[in-house]
Amino acid sequence: MSSLQTVVLTSSIIYHHNLIKQFRNYDIGITCSVIGHHFYIYSYYILDDMKPCLFYCLAIISYFIGLQKNIDYMRGYLHIFGVIANILLNKCIT
């Protein structure tokens, strides 16, 4: 899971520093696919703890709101909710 988070970090750096033009949608897609992958892993633990589910759902909802209304700060919420969910997921696994 941490290797996927490294991919998200790298794509965010590329986007925020304009290293590749028109990279915004790729960055959002990468982040959402990683969150989807983590949500899939979490589905095996869903009966133990529901808190990660809440934050994964908030991350996905913030993605769609940001995409529909073209609001950049919603991307920040996508990252924040995803990180909180991953922290809670790690507590479920261990």
Side-chain angles (χ1 to χ4, degrees):
M1 286 181 21
S2 62
S3 61
L4 291 175
Q5 287 302 113
T6 303
V7 171
V8 170
L9 174 68
T10 304
S11 71
S12 294
I13 290 170
I14 290 170
Y15 170 68
H16 289 292
H17 291 286
N18 288 326
L19 299 176
I20 298 175
K21 301 293 182 204
Q22 306 297 325
F23 196 73
R24 178 180 184 268
N25 290 334
Y26 293 111
D27 181 43
I28 292 171
I30 290 168
T31 302
C32 283
S33 64
V34 168
I35 287 173
H37 182 266
H38 288 181
F39 193 75
Y40 174 74
I41 292 170
Y42 166 69
S43 67
Y44 292 105
Y45 300 96
I46 200 162
L47 296 177
D48 296 336
D49 193 358
M50 293 294 291
K51 286 179 273 187
C53 180
L54 170 70
F55 286 100
Y56 283 129
C57 290
L58 286 172
I60 293 167
I61 289 168
S62 68
Y63 163 71
F64 284 114
I65 291 172
L67 186 65
Q68 184 179 27
K69 299 190 185 267
N70 199 21
I71 302 172
D72 272 342
Y73 70 83
M74 292 304 285
R75 285 187 59 260
Y77 290 133
L78 171 69
H79 290 284
I80 291 168
F81 291 142
V83 168
I84 291 170
N86 291 337
I87 290 168
L88 294 173
L89 175 62
N90 285 333
K91 289 184 179 182
C92 286
I93 292 173
T94 58

